[in-house]
C-alpha cells in the first residue's frame, strides 16, 4: 500500500493555496500535515481523499502492486473532518448502519455496537446524532471513518472538541490504524505532531507567497 | 441493497423532519383551494382543467424537491455520502424518493381537484397514464436540476427558473394530453403523447446518470 503525491498544487480564485507538493506515504506510515490557518491543510486532505480535484498534479494509490482508479481510492479511505457531518436526525446506530450498507458491506448490529462501545458511545446508540455533544459527534465521525476498516485513515484536526478521554481514544485508534495501514493527520497541536509525526509536511506562507517544506529528507 | 439503504435513509430523515412532505402538501392544498375559489361555479374546458392541475403539480414539485440535494450540502453530509456511495446510486436514491413523494402527492391532489372543481370525468385510464408518465419525467428532470442548484448561491429560488425551459416540452405535452383525456379522449388519442413522455423520461434519466458524477463531485 502506497500513497503518492506528485507535484500537487491547488489554486482558488486566482490565489495559490499550495504549490507542487510531492511525497510518498508507505504502509505503516503516519504522516502529519502542519501549517498556519489558511495554508491549505484541509484542502490537501480533501484532495488526498478525492473530494477535491487538484489544480495540477496527481494523487495515486497503489494496493497489492495495482494502481487504484481515483473513484476506487475514495472508498478505501476513512475521513474525519470538521467539514463533514453525519445525519443529525438519524441515531448513532442508524447512521453507522446506513454508511455500512451504502458501501455495500453487510450490516452486522454486533459489529456496530462493539465499535460504539470501543468509542464509549454504546449508551447513546439509539439517540439522534443531532443531540450529541461536540465531543461525542467527533467520536461518531471516527466510528464512521473506521467502520469499513479502510487502509487509509485521514484525520483533519482530530483533537478538536475532545476531552482527555476522547483524545486518548483517538490516539489508540491512530496507533491501531498505523499497524495495518496509513494514517494522515492535519494538526497544529505540537503534541500530536511529536507523537504521530513520523513524516511531517509543513505547509507555510512565506512573505510574497506560499511555500511548503518537508522534514529533513522530505516526505 | 445499497440503493435500498439510500432510499431508507432519505425516507427516515423525511419521516422525522417532514420537510418535503409539508412543503409539497402546503403548496398543493393552498393552490387547490385558491383555484377552486377563483373558478367558483364557472365551467372550464378540459384543457383549462389540465393546465391548472399541471401548474399545481409543477410548483409543488419545485417547492418540495429542491431540498433533496440542498440539505446534503447545507448540513455538510454530502462529503460523507461522496466517500460512501457511487454518484449514480446517490442520484437513483434521490430520484426514487422524489418519485414516491410526487406520486403520493398526485394520488392526493388529483382526487381533491375532482372533488373541489368537479371537472367532467372524461377517460380516467388515459388521464391517469398521462399524469403518471408526466410525473415520472417531471421528477427525473427536477432531481438532476436540484443537484445542480444545490451548488449555487441562491439555491432553491433558482430551481423553477432553471426547470421551466427543460420541462416546457414535457409540460406542454402533458397538459394537452391530460386535456384530451379529460375531454373524453381514448387511449389511442393520447398514445403519441404517452410515447413522447416515456421517451422524455428515458432520455432525461439516462443523461442525468451520465452527467451526475460531474455535478456531484465538482
Amino acid at each position: 500500500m502506497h500513497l503518492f503525491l506528485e507535484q500537487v498544487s491547488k489554486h482558488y480564485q486566482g490565489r495559490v493555496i499550495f504549490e507542487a507538493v510531492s511525497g510518498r506515504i508507505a504502509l505503516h506510515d503516519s504522516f502529519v500535515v502542519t501549517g498556519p490557518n489558511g495554508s491549505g491543510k484541509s484542502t490537501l486532505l480533501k484532495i488526498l481523499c478525492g473530494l477535491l480535484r487538484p489544480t495540477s498534479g496527481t494523487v495515486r494509490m497503489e494496493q497489492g502492486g495495482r494502481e487504484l482508479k481515483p473513484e476506487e481510492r475514495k472508498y478505501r479511505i476513512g475521513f474525519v473532518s470538521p467539514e463533514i457531518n453525519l445525519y443529525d436526525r438519524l441515531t448513532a446506530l442508524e447512521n453507522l448502519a446506513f454508511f455500512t450498507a451504502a458501501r455495500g458491506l453487510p450490516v452486522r448490529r454486533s459489529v456496530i455496537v462493539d465499535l460504539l462501545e470501543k468509542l464509549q458511545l454504546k449508551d447513546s446508540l439509539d439517540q439522534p446524532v443531532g443531540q450529541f455533544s461536540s465531543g461525542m459527534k467527533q467520536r461518531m465521525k471516527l466510528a464512521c471513518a473506521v467502520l469499513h476498516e479502510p487502509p487509509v485513515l485521514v484525520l483533519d484536526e482530530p483533537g478538536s472538541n475532545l476531552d482527555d478521554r476522547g483524545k486518548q481514544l483517538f490516539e489508540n485508534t491512530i496507533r491501531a490504524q498505523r499497524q495495518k495501514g496509513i494514517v494522515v493527520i492535519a494538526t497544529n497541536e505540537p503534541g500530536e505532531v511529536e507523537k504521530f509525526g513520523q513524516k511531517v509536511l509543513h505547509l507555510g506562507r512565506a512573505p510574497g507567497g506560499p511555500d511548503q517544506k518537508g522534514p529533513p529528507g522530505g516526505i | 441493497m445499497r440503493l435500498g439503504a439510500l432510499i431508507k435513509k432519505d425516507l427516515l430523515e423525511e419521516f422525522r423532519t417532514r420537510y418535503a412532505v409539508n412543503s409539497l402538501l402546503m403548496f398543493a392544498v393552498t393552490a387547490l383551494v385558491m383555484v377552486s375559489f377563483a373558478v367558483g361555479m364557472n365551467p372550464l374546458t378540459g384543457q383549462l382543467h389540465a393546465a391548472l392541475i399541471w401548474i399545481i403539480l409543477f410548483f409543488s414539485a419545485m417547492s418540495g424537491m429542491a431540498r433533496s440535494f440542498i440539505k446534503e450540502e447545507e448540513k455538510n453530509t454530502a462529503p460523507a455520502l461522496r466517500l460512501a456511495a457511487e454518484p449514480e446510486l446517490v442520484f437513483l436514491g434521490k430520484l426514487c424518493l422524489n418519485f414516491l413523494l410526487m406520486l403520493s402527492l398526485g394520488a392526493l391532489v388529483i382526487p381533491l381537484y375532482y372533488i373541489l372543481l368537479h371537472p367532467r370525468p372524461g377517460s380516467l385510464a388515459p388521464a391517469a397514464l398521462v399524469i403518471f408518465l408526466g410525473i415520472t419525467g417531471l421528477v427525473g428532470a427536477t432531481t438532476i436540476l436540484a443537484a445542480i442548484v444545490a451548488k449555487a448561491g441562491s439555491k432553491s429560488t433558482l430551481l423553477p427558473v432553471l426547470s421551466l425551459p427543460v420541462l416546457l416540452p414535457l409540460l406542454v405535452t402533458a397538459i394537452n394530453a391530460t386535456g384530451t383525456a379529460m375531454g373524453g379522449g381514448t387511449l389511442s388519442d393520447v398514445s403519441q403523447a404517452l410515447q413522447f413522455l416515456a421517451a422524455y423520461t428515458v432520455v432525461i434519466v439516462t443523461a442525468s446518470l451520465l452527467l451526475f458524477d460531474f455535478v456531484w463531485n465538482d
Side-chain angles (χ1 to χ4, degrees), chain A residues 91-205:
Chain A
T91 65
L93 196 63
E94 285 166 349
N95 261 293
L96 297 183
F98 162 65
F99 282 106
T100 309
R103 288 188 172 103
L105 303 170
V107 181
R108 291 195 204 95
R109 189 187 154 95
S110 58
V111 173
I112 296 174
V113 172
D114 285 351
L115 180 60
L116 287 172
E117 188 170 16
K118 216 164 85 182
L119 293 169
Q120 294 169 3
L121 290 167
K122 195 186 170 192
D123 295 340
S124 313
L125 62 88
D126 287 322
Q127 199 181 330
V129 169
Q131 294 174 8
F132 280 16
S133 69
S134 49
M136 288 164 81
K137 280 183 183 168
Q138 183 75 348
R139 279 181 275 149
M140 259 307 287
K141 288 183 196 179
L142 181 63
C144 188
V146 299
L147 185 65
H148 57 300
E149 299 186 354
V152 180
L153 182 63
V154 180
L155 307 167
D156 189 0
E157 306 286 355
S160 57
N161 301 317
L162 290 174
D163 56 15
D164 288 343
R165 264 172 64 192
K167 280 183 181 163
Q168 192 57 51
L169 285 171
F170 257 76
E171 286 178 17
N172 294 343
T173 309
I174 292 169
R175 286 196 186 93
Q177 176 69 28
R178 208 160 61 177
Q179 298 299 312
K180 54 188 180 187
I182 289 171
V183 189
V184 181
I185 307 167
T187 184
N188 276 328
E189 292 277 331
E192 285 175 356
V193 179
E194 200 177 309
K195 271 182 207 157
F196 304 113
Q198 194 182 11
K199 289 181 175 178
V200 180
L201 170 73
H202 180 76
L203 292 175
R205 206 165 278 282

Side-chain angles (χ1 to χ4, degrees), chain A residues 53 85 87 89 94 102, chain B residues 2 16 72 75-76 217-218:
Chain A
R53 290 185 212 275
N85 288 333
Y87 293 95
R89 299 279 176 167
E94 285 166 349
Chain B
R2 301 178 69 187
R16 286 173 193 165
E72 301 278 2
K75 296 192 169 178
N76 282 336
N217 286 319
D218 278 328

Side-chain angles (χ1 to χ4, degrees), chain B residues 5 113 141 167:
Chain B
Y113 187 92
L167 285 169

